[in-house]
Amino acid sequence: MDNIYLLMIVALALLAVADLVVGVSNDAVNFLNSAIGSKAIPFKTIMIVASVGVGLGAVFSSGMMEVARSGIFNPHEFMFNEIMIIFMAVMITDILLLDFFNTVGMPTSTTVSIVFELLGASVAIALIKIGQKGGNFVDVVNYINTSKATEIIFGILLSVAIAFTVGAAVQWVSRLLLSYNYEKQSNWVGAVFGGFAITAITYFIFMKGIGGTTYAKQSYDIIGGSTIKEFLSNQALYIILGSFVVWSSISYALISFAKLNIYKIVIMIGTFALALAFSGNDLVNFIGVPIAGWQSYTAWAGSGVAPEAFSMGFLSDKVPTPTFLLIIAGFIMVITLWLSKKAKSVTETEINLSREGDGKERFEPNFLSRGFVRLAMAISQMASYVLPESWQAKIDKQFEKPVITLAQSKKHELPAFDMVRAAVNLMVAAILISLATSMKLPLSTTYVTFMVAMGSSLADRAWGAESAVYRVAGVLNVIGGWFFTAIIAFVAAALIAYLLNWNVAVMVPVLLLIAILLLVRNFIAHREKSKEIKAEDSLTKSESSSIQGVIHESANNIASVVKRGNKIYTNAINGLAKQDLALLKKNKRQIVKLSSEVDELRDNIFYFIKNLDDSSIGASNFYIHILGYLQDMVQSLEYITKVSYKHVNNNHKKLKFNQIKELKEVDERFDTFFNNTQKAFDSRSFEEIGIILGRKQEILSLVTSKIQKQVERTRSEESSPKNTTLYFSLLLETKDLLNASMNLLEEYHNAHDSSVKPATVVTSTSKSIKSTDSTSSESGEQS
């Protein structure tokens, strides 16, 4: 039996490494998003600054490890065998939960995860002990630190509301004073802003980044024999005022004489500060439990007492964590920061929700987001009645965004938001976390940084009429995920603790195997999703300003739609023939993706027309017609896919042999047609389009003949209304698909000037649209 505990220690060590990886992937968004989103400093510089912060924070984190040992449960109430089950359940749950959120690209709180996992596992073991002793349910309060759990729950709710409100207020005032032309303001304005921001951030470094460490809890003669933490709390006002004067003076000197951009400096210091605090305080979330398990095993192994008789009361004592373990943990975190692709996915979610301007939205609106937007619009209208028009005009002028020309936007990728907002995000997050730390209020750094970013986005008018419902829906989804985290963490940890207690020798290897399989599955799913995003077949936006340029730029899109459409049509027929529901379901996903990409091309028409030369307005008509025909083709394919899936999914009668045979004949003819069309567009052999057009009547006659045969069958032998309806629907929609395809080819045939060579026309680059969103298939019913 002793061997199982040694196995558990080895497993905890391996889980600690894995948890560090998934934890950093999730929490990197806390300190990277402002710098990355604003593009204030090069990406490598951002990563170096963050890495230094993470490394230093890890070394300073020893004093926080006691949270895992006694912060949630009362150790003296549990024996060694019970504590090991609790720790094991917590780590298995934690790594699976965080990895799931990273895979879907959603930020969550590692603090909330570990707290509710400890709470769930502890409650489960406590209830088992109470049941064995014949006690009452209320006795669970003797085992659990209920006051701490209550504080954390209320801290979460308060931090979400306060962070959003304060972030919005500070950003609104900052923009009102600085406007979007902040770089043209007087030097003293930037100096005051820099002084205020750097003061807040440096105070945060001491309060949150270093305040929880063992170094901050030691007494020093230089500060009157008090600890650093006591000194910071007692002299807070004088320290802040003195720092403000010093940093404002330094900022003014840097702006006036060194000609440095103070906003870039604020962003760099803020990124370092949040990285330091994250590592120093949140490292306990990843390795606190394994270290507590190792310390428990060491104490028990040398005692000679049976596992079920060895009390764990010593965990309440302060036991320093070996520095070499912290250094190793810091090294793993830094490596993960540089290599993790999932960290980039989580970061992209927050930047996407807070970015300026329109674009592809990741989240779909819901009734709550629509309700919040309508409420905000009503409040805005009421405010317009209260404020004088002259005030409104002045405010609107300060919020006027600089005009970005199309030439500028093509030259380089524009930042998601400017440096003022990035600095405000870092400054406000630092202030709020510092205040909570000094007041000993529990909160989640993830929640605070995310909600500050969302509040500043709203105040900065980044959520316009075109994007507000999508952004609000995204915020609500993320917040919902946070509460989902707490509930699932509690329930899952309790369930795993129960299973381990049932038979620890059997369930430890079984649960570890399940955890490994799930991690591998999530890794493969994320990799496949990334491959889909980078798919070569993704459609591209046209950016040329002439008809000939659009012809050649759009050729790849036509070839891609025809190639993918051919496969979708064939799969629909094969799925019906074989009654293959899985194939038809996969086919539905493919057509949804294709439809989404065509919709995005259509949404880009505004920017395309804006880019046209005055002498090339005719290109807009050509491009609009092309997109219209592409959409008609996709809608026909969408309808064919939908009715095929519906028929098989509802277990209706299989199509008859003759019907399948005739559909296969049509599919083979269409396969030849689509392949010839794809080759013509791939090779830019537009002269061959005329030959393909000449065969229109031949294909149309084939489809018409099949319709006539089904009419005759229906009158004489057909007995299934569902089969007849499906068959006619497929053939009629196939005719629509053929007509849309031929109309597109005729448009090309009429517009193409064979004297213009592709190499002399393509002067613009194109951006790939990597669409991962899904859209409703209802549009297919319009055909």
Side-chain angles (χ1 to χ4, degrees):
M1 188 63 180
D2 291 357
N3 291 334
I4 191 62
Y5 295 115
L6 182 59
L7 172 63
M8 292 172 79
I9 291 300
V10 174
L12 284 175
L14 295 175
L15 288 171
V17 175
D19 209 32
L20 279 170
V21 173
V22 296
V24 173
S25 298
N26 178 84
D27 280 7
V29 65
N30 296 349
F31 49 87
L32 291 181
N33 74 296
S34 293
I36 292 174
S38 65
K39 298 186 181 295
I41 45 181
F43 181 75
K44 283 188 177 179
T45 305
I46 295 171
M47 296 299 288
I48 291 170
V49 170
S51 298
V52 173
V54 167
L56 288 176
V59 177
F60 290 148
S61 65
S62 177
M64 298 299 294
M65 294 301 163
E66 60 197 62
V67 174
R69 294 193 292 263
S70 58
I72 304 302
F73 55 82
N74 297 321
H76 60 274
E77 296 288 346
F78 296 94
M79 300 301 155
F80 172 71
N81 62 323
E82 296 162 344
I83 280 292
M84 290 301 293
I85 288 173
I86 290 173
F87 288 160
M88 199 72 198
V90 167
M91 290 305 294
I92 292 174
T93 306
D94 196 58
I95 191 171
L96 292 177
L97 191 62
L98 292 182
D99 188 66
F100 167 76
F101 274 91
N102 293 342
T103 301
V104 299
M106 296 278 277
T108 191
S109 171
T110 53
T111 303
V112 170
S113 299
I114 202 75
V115 164
F116 278 89
E117 286 153 5
L118 281 167
L119 190 60
S122 303
V123 167
I125 298 301
L127 289 176
I128 291 171
K129 286 171 66 74
I130 292 169
Q132 291 172 348
K133 294 178 180 178
N136 297 320
F137 176 78
V138 292
D139 293 338
V140 76
V141 296
N142 298 326
Y143 296 85
I144 308 301
N145 193 340
T146 52
S147 60
K148 186 70 173 179
T150 305
E151 274 185 22
I152 290 171
I153 293 170
F154 280 106
I156 292 168
L157 296 173
L158 282 175
S159 66
V160 167
I162 292 173
F164 185 85
T165 305
V166 175
V170 174
Q171 178 60 38
W172 190 85
V173 172
S174 299
R175 186 65 70 194
L176 189 64
L177 296 175
L178 297 170
S179 79
Y180 277 92
N181 295 315
Y182 55 92
E183 292 180 339
K184 297 180 181 178
Q185 298 287 343
S186 301
N187 289 353
W188 69 268
V189 175
V192 170
F193 181 87
F196 187 82
I198 298 174
T199 297
I201 292 168
T202 50
Y203 186 73
F204 162 80
I205 289 174
F206 285 100
M207 281 302 300
K208 184 67 175 173
I210 301 175
T213 68
T214 52
Y215 306 99
K217 296 174 183 177
Q218 296 175 6
S219 301
Y220 297 92
D221 294 334
I222 194 172
I223 50 176
S226 61
T227 65
I228 292 177
K229 196 166 186 178
E230 291 170 346
F231 179 77
L232 290 172
S233 299
N234 297 335
Q235 308 295 327
L237 181 61
Y238 298 107
I239 293 172
I240 290 170
L241 290 176
S243 298
F244 175 71
V245 172
V246 171
W247 284 119
S248 295
S249 302
I250 293 174
S251 298
Y252 186 82
L254 292 174
I255 297 170
S256 302
F257 305 112
K259 304 299 179 184
L260 294 178
N261 188 322
I262 194 62
Y263 301 96
K264 290 185 178 182
I265 296 173
V266 169
I267 292 168
M268 194 178 296
I269 296 174
T271 300
F272 169 80
L274 287 178
L276 175 73
F278 148 73
S279 182
N281 289 266
D282 288 3
L283 184 60
V284 64
N285 301 339
F286 316 131
I287 65 170
V289 167
I291 286 177
W294 172 61
Q295 291 171 336
S296 301
Y297 178 81
T298 304
W300 166 76
S303 67
V305 180
E308 59 275 7
F310 186 72
S311 174
M312 302 306 295
F314 81 96
L315 287 178
S316 298
D317 303 331
K318 294 182 180 180
V319 182
T321 304
T323 304
F324 79 93
L325 290 178
L326 299 177
I327 292 173
I328 292 172
F331 180 75
I332 294 172
M333 293 165 80
V334 171
I335 296 297
T336 303
L337 194 62
W338 282 87
L339 300 180
S340 175
K341 292 182 179 179
K342 290 185 178 181
K344 296 179 178 66
S345 299
V346 180
T347 303
E348 284 168 7
T349 297
E350 183 168 329
I351 292 175
N352 183 274
L353 288 173
S354 59
R355 75 177 189 277
E356 289 284 354
D358 307 318
K360 189 68 180 176
E361 301 293 346
R362 177 177 173 182
F363 297 93
E364 290 298 320
N366 51 51
F367 75 96
L368 281 176
S369 68
R370 294 186 187 102
F372 279 122
V373 170
R374 290 192 185 103
L375 177 63
M377 291 172 67
I379 294 172
S380 178
Q381 288 177 348
M382 290 174 61
S384 65
Y385 293 130
V386 175
L387 290 175
E389 290 186 8
S390 59
W391 287 24
Q392 291 181 46
K394 289 179 180 178
I395 292 172
D396 290 340
K397 187 177 181 181
Q398 291 299 90
F399 280 83
E400 267 184 19
K401 296 178 175 66
V403 177
I404 305 296
T405 64
L406 287 164
Q408 286 176 298
S409 65
K410 285 182 190 178
K411 205 170 198 181
H412 52 82
E413 190 179 351
L414 297 174
F417 40 81
D418 69 357
M419 287 185 273
V420 169
R421 178 132 62 98
V424 167
N425 287 345
L426 292 165
M427 173 179 65
V428 173
I431 291 172
L432 292 178
I433 297 171
S434 300
L435 285 174
T437 301
S438 63
M439 297 169 66
K440 297 183 179 180
L441 295 175
L443 52 71
S444 164
T445 53
T446 301
Y447 294 178
V448 170
T449 53
F450 180 83
M451 293 309 296
V452 166
M454 296 304 103
S456 66
S457 303
L458 175 64
D460 215 22
R461 302 185 181 180
W463 298 356
E466 306 288 337
S467 59
V469 288
Y470 304 99
R471 307 288 177 85
V472 174
V475 173
L476 292 175
N477 281 345
V478 172
I479 293 175
W482 293 345
F483 290 100
F484 171 80
T485 301
I487 296 169
I488 295 300
F490 182 92
V491 174
L495 177 61
I496 292 176
Y498 172 79
L499 292 173
L500 287 171
N501 184 76
W502 173 61
N503 192 324
V504 69
V506 173
M507 295 311 299
V508 166
V510 169
L511 290 173
L512 285 175
L513 179 61
I514 293 173
I516 292 170
L517 291 175
L518 288 173
L519 288 174
V520 171
R521 177 181 173 275
N522 286 347
F523 173 78
I524 293 172
H526 188 269
R527 187 178 62 181
E528 291 301 317
K529 185 178 179 181
S530 300
K531 285 181 180 178
E532 281 184 19
I533 292 173
K534 296 177 181 177
E536 294 180 358
D537 285 339
S538 296
L539 305 187
T540 57
K541 298 175 185 175
S542 181
E543 295 181 349
S544 282
S545 57
S546 67
I547 292 180
Q548 297 304 320
V550 174
I551 285 175
H552 289 285
E553 282 188 355
S554 300
N556 287 334
N557 286 345
I558 307 301
S560 176
V561 171
V562 168
K563 175 186 172 184
R564 294 159 72 180
N566 187 16
K567 184 178 179 182
I568 289 167
Y569 187 86
T570 300
N571 285 343
I573 303 303
N574 289 339
L576 276 173
K578 301 174 183 177
Q579 296 283 286
D580 190 341
L581 189 61
L583 177 62
L584 292 172
K585 189 173 184 179
K586 182 180 179 182
N587 214 34
K588 273 185 70 177
R589 291 197 297 268
Q590 294 300 318
I591 189 60
V592 164
K593 184 176 186 296
L594 180 58
S595 177
S596 175
E597 293 179 25
V598 172
D599 284 345
E600 190 164 344
L601 288 181
R602 184 194 60 195
D603 293 341
N604 190 56
I605 287 176
F606 170 83
Y607 302 101
F608 168 74
I609 294 175
K610 283 280 190 182
N611 187 36
L612 290 175
D613 297 334
D614 293 337
S615 59
S616 304
I617 300 300
S620 62
N621 290 327
F622 173 77
Y623 190 58
I624 290 169
H625 288 157
I626 290 299
L627 289 183
Y629 296 136
L630 283 177
Q631 194 164 33
D632 289 343
M633 291 172 64
V634 170
Q635 284 182 349
S636 294
L637 289 166
E638 200 168 18
Y639 182 80
I640 290 169
T641 303
K642 188 184 75 170
V643 295
S644 302
Y645 174 80
K646 181 180 177 183
H647 186 86
V648 176
N649 194 38
N650 288 340
N651 300 308
H652 293 316
K653 284 184 179 179
K654 186 177 180 180
L655 290 177
K656 292 186 176 180
F657 176 78
N658 286 337
Q659 291 174 321
I660 295 293
K661 181 181 177 183
E662 290 169 6
L663 286 175
K664 289 276 191 179
E665 289 176 16
V666 173
D667 179 41
E668 287 173 7
R669 191 65 191 83
F670 261 78
D671 184 59
T672 303
F673 163 65
F674 280 138
N675 282 333
N676 290 338
T677 302
Q678 182 191 341
K679 288 175 183 176
F681 281 96
D682 275 338
S683 62
R684 305 297 194 272
S685 302
F686 298 121
E687 298 82 1
E688 294 182 12
I689 291 177
I691 301 172
I692 299 172
L693 285 170
R695 295 170 183 160
K696 175 181 178 181
Q697 194 57 44
E698 176 191 335
I699 307 174
L700 198 59
S701 298
L702 176 65
V703 177
T704 304
S705 68
K706 303 305 180 188
I707 294 174
Q708 186 59 37
K709 281 186 179 181
Q710 179 61 28
V711 170
E712 294 170 3
R713 275 196 299 265
T714 303
R715 291 181 61 83
S716 60
E717 60 186 66
E718 188 62 72
S719 61
S720 172
K722 294 290 184 185
N723 277 16
T724 302
T725 302
L726 173 66
Y727 193 74
F728 279 133
S729 297
L730 292 173
L731 290 178
L732 290 172
E733 205 62 45
T734 297
K735 283 182 68 175
D736 288 347
L737 174 62
L738 176 64
N739 286 327
S741 304
M742 289 298 182
N743 287 339
L744 184 144
L745 292 177
E746 285 176 5
E747 190 75 31
Y748 260 86
H749 188 257
N750 296 334
H752 174 59
D753 181 355
S754 60
S755 64
V756 179
K757 302 300 180 185
T760 64
V761 175
V762 182
T763 57
S764 303
T765 57
S766 58
K767 300 175 190 172
S768 289
I769 301 172
K770 307 319 193 273
S771 174
T772 57
D773 294 347
S774 61
T775 57
S776 172
S777 61
E778 293 175 1
S779 58
E781 299 177 18
Q782 300 170 4
S783 299

